[in-house]
Amino acid sequence: MITLEKIADQANVSVSTVSKALSGHKAISQKTKDRIRQIADELGYTPNANAQSLVNKRANTIGVVYEVEFGLRNLFFSAVLEEFRRNAQLNGYDILLLSNNNEKNIDYFRHCQSKNVDGVLIVSIGSAPIEAINKLTQSSMAVITLDPLHSGLNTIYSDSYAGIQKSCQHLYDLGHRKIAYVNGSYTNLIGQQRLNGYLDFIKAHKLKPIYNAKQSNESYTFSEGYQTMKYLLTEFGLPDAVVCASDLMAMGTITLLQKRGYKIPDDVSVVGFDNLSVCEIATPRLTTIAQDYEGIGKKAWDLMIHMLNTDDRKKEPIIVDTQLVVRESTTTRK
Amino acid sequence: MITLEKIADQANVSVSTVSKALSGHKAISQKTKDRIRQIADELGYTPNANAQSLVNKRANTIGVVYEVEFGLRNLFFSAVLEEFRRNAQLNGYDILLLSNNNEKNIDYFRHCQSKNVDGVLIVSIGSAPIEAINKLTQSSMAVITLDPLHSGLNTIYSDSYAGIQKSCQHLYDLGHRKIAYVNGSYTNLIGQQRLNGYLDFIKAHKLKPIYNAKQSNESYTFSEGYQTMKYLLTEFGLPDAVVCASDLMAMGTITLLQKRGYKIPDDVSVVGFDNLSVCEIATPRLTTIAQDYEGIGKKAWDLMIHMLNTDDRKKEPIIVDTQLVVRESTTTRK
């Protein structure tokens, strides 16, 4: 077994320096860190969380605010959390899912202090009181949010605007011109970005917008997709293709169209958004815009470690690119 | 705001007695607990976790061993964990997802002690070393497992045997006689129970068994269902109906059959197992055997609180009933 002592011996530094270097401690220069990391890698060293904790005086615990509709059954948020958890675990950190204590006057900051967490990831704040969230993000703790509505800083999220435009472009390239949009939320930033991506594309290509401007869909569910497509069919007739704000909405859209006797993709092409695992098992398999879960989880973890090791608390938002994944729910216009 | 003082005043007992009673402390008689709970309910009291913790000397943290394939993206295990979490949260407890620290010599017991957790829920041990699990379950900690393979005691799981028999009976009642089985694991208790449920039904009704006896499927995935159905078609020809060991396997089965040009349910009826949320969004919507997630989560929580409040560490397994949910993937034999 490779110990810190062996690495220290080889690097000709103290054990404490090795430990600090490997855990990214700010007292060690980047050059030394790189050198020690390389020696550790060459020797095949695997870090031991407890030893790290002793040096850092850390609890090796990351608190998570996860006020998410449907909880861990929410396919999107649980996929993001899983990628973050995987990175945290690789580094010996536990994830503490912070209970709201069934209280209206929840104080996450105090709660985090009493539980001795090192940093906090806010996956989604749902209906949690904004005061409690602000107290967290304005504290000196390392706090990262994946929910861009509530904090401009230290936030990581997908480029929804460009994502929806990729979706539109894919359908346009297939020859479709009557392109409808099954919308998400109109009350938060991400939902607005998706709508604007659609509307700007439609305008730039001189097409007619086909969407429900009046009804905001807050939950991105199958049922909301189903209802929205029902409305669009009645109001606008059959489109060539449909851009959806989520995969589950796309599956609701497809189900409604199939019930009305239309074939997907022969009669109507449909694109989702998210790239949930259900895309693979849907019939037909769903073409979608993939959010980079791995990238988001990894970047969130890297930022967390950076913030834990420094006093840096004001990082600009990190916008993560999306990618078109073509499967079976889209085809050329007949 | 209703305080413990007000309840104590009304009940004519000390604040400490109220606090202990409301948190289920063993020093308080059941009669007193019931009386104080009733007064608290009448006054509309909401518990405060920190106050409880002071009296109980508890951290209000439940550790979770969650060594699950696909992690939080695993639809089944994340649904069970969510129900447990919901109950824990209602009682002011946080969930600590215990990292395996990326170590081969993981010691969960020591890890739990260092993180000061009150009890542990083992959702699934995956490939975690059995020694580390045994050390946990044989300790004096409150440890509950949902994975019946590895511990006969303090375990909660669905009645898989009866569940599969309900699935067979449903198809039999619809007139089907050529009933195939798309199997799960042959190496663990739950998988064996599901197989035995099928084989005993087939034998009791003098039918011919149609299944792959040679290939154990450890992951209950779409892909395993697809491959198994492919094998069964080649070996046995088209069945009337298929009983599957999971919902995802049922969706793989349906996809393979549809690709071969068969209509579900008109040509073949298919039943899943689990009642995941994807059943509702599948095409056709999936008939399945529902595992009682809410019941399992609630019973696990109730047992956890009981064990935290007592020295009782050897409870017999709790077997939870399942239920047939009929949707669109099954119909009468033509």
Side-chain angles (χ1 to χ4, degrees):
Chain A
M1 187 188 153
I2 305 304
T3 60
L4 295 182
E5 285 77 11
K6 285 189 190 158
I7 302 169
D9 201 38
Q10 187 114 353
N12 207 17
V13 296
S14 72
V15 170
S16 166
T17 300
V18 171
S19 180
K20 284 177 181 168
L22 291 178
S23 60
H25 197 287
K26 59 182 169 176
I28 309 294
S29 76
Q30 192 57 48
K31 196 179 153 194
T32 306
K33 278 178 192 161
D34 290 346
R35 191 168 63 89
I36 290 175
R37 165 54 57 201
Q38 196 186 340
I39 292 170
D41 286 348
E42 284 167 10
L43 293 172
Y45 171 74
T46 316
N48 176 296
N50 294 320
Q52 287 189 343
S53 181
L54 283 174
V55 174
N56 290 323
K57 293 202 178 64
R58 283 192 194 153
N60 284 348
T61 305
I62 305 295
V64 170
V65 174
Y66 189 83
E67 298 295 327
V68 168
E69 195 175 5
F70 313 118
L72 296 169
R73 301 181 84 158
N74 185 305
L75 300 178
F76 172 69
F77 286 112
S78 62
V80 175
L81 180 58
E82 172 60 18
E83 290 302 331
F84 182 81
R85 183 183 90 105
R86 218 169 49 78
N87 280 277
Q89 182 154 318
L90 283 172
N91 290 274
Y93 278 73
D94 296 325
I95 296 296
L96 185 73
L97 298 174
L98 297 164
S99 165
N100 60 21
N101 285 353
N102 199 25
E103 283 179 60
K104 279 178 191 143
N105 298 319
I106 171 72
D107 185 338
Y108 285 115
F109 179 66
R110 193 171 129 232
H111 191 51
C112 286
Q113 287 188 312
S114 75
K115 289 295 179 103
N116 196 26
V117 310
D118 303 309
V120 178
L121 177 75
I122 301 174
V123 175
S124 178
I125 74 162
S127 57
I130 189 67
E131 300 76 31
I133 299 297
N134 287 343
K135 189 170 172 188
L136 256 187
T137 55
Q138 288 158 12
S139 75
S140 62
M141 283 186 76
V143 180
I144 296 173
T145 169
L146 306 179
D147 197 333
L149 174 60
H150 306 285
S151 160
L153 298 168
N154 306 322
T155 179
I156 300 170
Y157 55 98
S158 292
D159 191 342
S160 280
Y161 180 89
I164 286 290
Q165 293 228 322
K166 284 176 194 175
S167 181
C168 293
Q169 188 68 52
H170 169 60
L171 295 170
Y172 192 89
D173 292 346
L174 291 170
H176 303 297
R177 294 298 176 264
K178 288 172 71 176
I179 301 175
Y181 177 57
V182 168
N183 66 286
S185 171
Y186 291 153
T187 67
N188 73 34
L189 182 64
I190 286 179
Q192 283 157 6
Q193 286 182 343
R194 292 187 194 171
L195 175 66
N196 291 340
Y198 169 74
L199 290 177
D200 287 355
F201 186 95
I202 290 294
K203 197 174 172 188
H205 293 78
K206 300 189 167 56
L207 305 178
K208 184 187 159 200
I210 304 171
Y211 76 114
N212 185 348
K214 291 173 200 159
Q215 176 73 48
S216 176
N217 292 318
E218 300 300 328
S219 300
Y220 297 80
T221 53
F222 178 90
S223 160
E224 287 175 342
Y226 187 96
Q227 293 302 333
T228 303
M229 190 65 234
K230 198 171 174 179
Y231 169 89
L232 296 180
L233 265 190
T234 308
E235 292 292 315
F236 300 93
L238 191 68
D240 295 341
V242 188
V243 169
C244 301
S246 80
D247 287 340
L248 294 180
M249 297 185 99
M251 294 178 77
T253 295
I254 288 172
T255 299
L256 184 277
L257 290 169
Q258 285 173 336
K259 279 209 177 167
R260 296 290 174 90
Y262 300 111
K263 286 197 174 135
I264 314 299
D266 293 338
D267 297 329
V268 187
S269 287
V270 177
V271 185
F273 199 105
D274 285 338
N275 201 27
L276 301 178
S277 53
V278 293
C279 293
E280 285 283 356
I281 63 182
T283 313
R285 291 164 63 242
L286 195 65
T287 296
T288 194
I289 302 298
Q291 297 208 57
D292 180 8
Y293 303 107
E294 274 187 41
I296 293 173
K298 181 68 168 61
K299 282 176 211 289
W301 176 255
D302 290 346
L303 180 56
M304 179 62 75
I305 281 294
H306 170 77
M307 289 174 76
L308 290 178
N309 289 333
T310 64
D311 294 329
D312 197 357
R313 291 290 177 272
K314 295 191 173 180
K315 305 298 284 185
E316 291 298 310
I318 299 174
I319 317 288
V320 181
D321 209 9
T322 60
Q323 199 183 336
L324 174 71
V325 179
V326 178
R327 294 197 183 90
E328 299 167 354
S329 65
T330 51
T331 191
T332 49
R333 190 180 175 199
K334 293 290 177 294
Chain B
M1 188 186 151
I2 304 304
T3 61
L4 295 183
E5 285 77 9
K6 283 189 193 159
I7 301 169
D9 201 38
Q10 186 113 352
N12 206 17
V13 297
S14 73
V15 170
S16 165
T17 300
V18 170
S19 179
K20 284 178 181 169
L22 292 178
S23 59
H25 197 288
K26 60 182 167 174
I28 309 294
S29 75
Q30 192 57 49
K31 195 179 153 193
T32 306
K33 277 177 193 160
D34 291 345
R35 190 167 64 89
I36 290 174
R37 166 51 59 200
Q38 196 187 340
I39 291 170
D41 286 349
E42 284 167 10
L43 292 171
Y45 171 74
T46 315
N48 176 295
N50 293 321
Q52 287 188 344
S53 182
L54 283 175
V55 173
N56 290 322
K57 294 200 177 66
R58 282 189 194 154
N60 284 348
T61 305
I62 305 295
V64 170
V65 174
Y66 189 83
E67 298 297 326
V68 168
E69 196 174 4
F70 313 118
L72 297 170
R73 301 181 84 157
N74 184 305
L75 300 178
F76 172 69
F77 286 112
S78 61
V80 175
L81 179 59
E82 172 59 18
E83 290 301 331
F84 182 81
R85 183 183 90 104
R86 219 168 47 79
N87 281 276
Q89 182 154 318
L90 283 172
N91 290 274
Y93 278 72
D94 296 326
I95 296 295
L96 185 73
L97 298 174
L98 296 164
S99 165
N100 60 21
N101 287 352
N102 200 25
E103 283 179 59
K104 279 179 191 141
N105 298 321
I106 171 71
D107 185 337
Y108 286 114
F109 180 66
R110 194 172 127 230
H111 191 52
C112 286
Q113 286 187 312
S114 76
K115 288 297 178 101
N116 195 25
V117 311
D118 303 310
V120 178
L121 177 74
I122 301 173
V123 175
S124 178
I125 73 161
S127 56
I130 189 67
E131 301 76 31
I133 299 297
N134 287 343
K135 189 170 172 187
L136 258 187
T137 56
Q138 287 158 13
S139 75
S140 61
M141 283 186 75
V143 179
I144 296 174
T145 170
L146 306 180
D147 197 334
L149 176 58
H150 305 286
S151 161
L153 297 169
N154 307 322
T155 180
I156 300 170
Y157 55 98
S158 291
D159 190 343
S160 280
Y161 180 89
I164 286 291
Q165 294 228 323
K166 284 177 193 173
S167 181
C168 294
Q169 188 68 53
H170 170 61
L171 295 170
Y172 193 88
D173 292 345
L174 291 170
H176 303 297
R177 293 298 177 265
K178 288 171 71 176
I179 301 176
Y181 177 57
V182 168
N183 65 285
S185 171
Y186 291 155
T187 67
N188 73 33
L189 182 64
I190 285 178
Q192 282 157 6
Q193 286 181 342
R194 292 188 194 171
L195 175 65
N196 291 340
Y198 169 73
L199 290 177
D200 288 354
F201 186 94
I202 291 294
K203 197 174 170 188
H205 292 78
K206 300 190 168 57
L207 306 178
K208 185 188 159 199
I210 303 171
Y211 74 114
N212 186 347
K214 290 173 200 158
Q215 177 72 49
S216 176
N217 292 318
E218 301 299 328
S219 301
Y220 296 82
T221 53
F222 178 89
S223 159
E224 287 175 342
Y226 187 96
Q227 293 302 334
T228 303
M229 191 64 234
K230 198 171 175 180
Y231 170 88
L232 296 181
L233 264 190
T234 308
E235 292 292 314
F236 300 94
L238 191 68
D240 296 341
V242 188
V243 169
C244 301
S246 80
D247 287 341
L248 295 178
M249 297 185 101
M251 294 177 79
T253 296
I254 288 172
T255 299
L256 185 277
L257 290 169
Q258 286 173 335
K259 280 208 177 166
R260 296 292 174 88
Y262 300 111
K263 286 195 174 133
I264 314 299
D266 294 338
D267 297 329
V268 186
S269 286
V270 178
V271 184
F273 199 105
D274 284 338
N275 202 28
L276 301 177
S277 52
V278 293
C279 293
E280 285 284 354
I281 64 183
T283 312
R285 292 164 62 241
L286 195 65
T287 296
T288 195
I289 302 297
Q291 298 207 56
D292 180 7
Y293 303 107
E294 275 189 40
I296 293 173
K298 182 70 169 61
K299 282 176 210 289
W301 176 255
D302 290 346
L303 180 56
M304 179 62 77
I305 282 293
H306 170 77
M307 289 174 75
L308 290 178
N309 289 332
T310 65
D311 295 329
D312 197 356
R313 289 292 177 272
K314 296 192 171 178
K315 304 298 284 184
E316 290 299 309
I318 298 174
I319 318 289
V320 181
D321 209 8
T322 60
Q323 198 182 337
L324 174 71
V325 179
V326 179
R327 294 196 182 91
E328 299 167 355
S329 66
T330 50
T331 191
T332 49
R333 191 182 174 196
K334 292 289 177 296

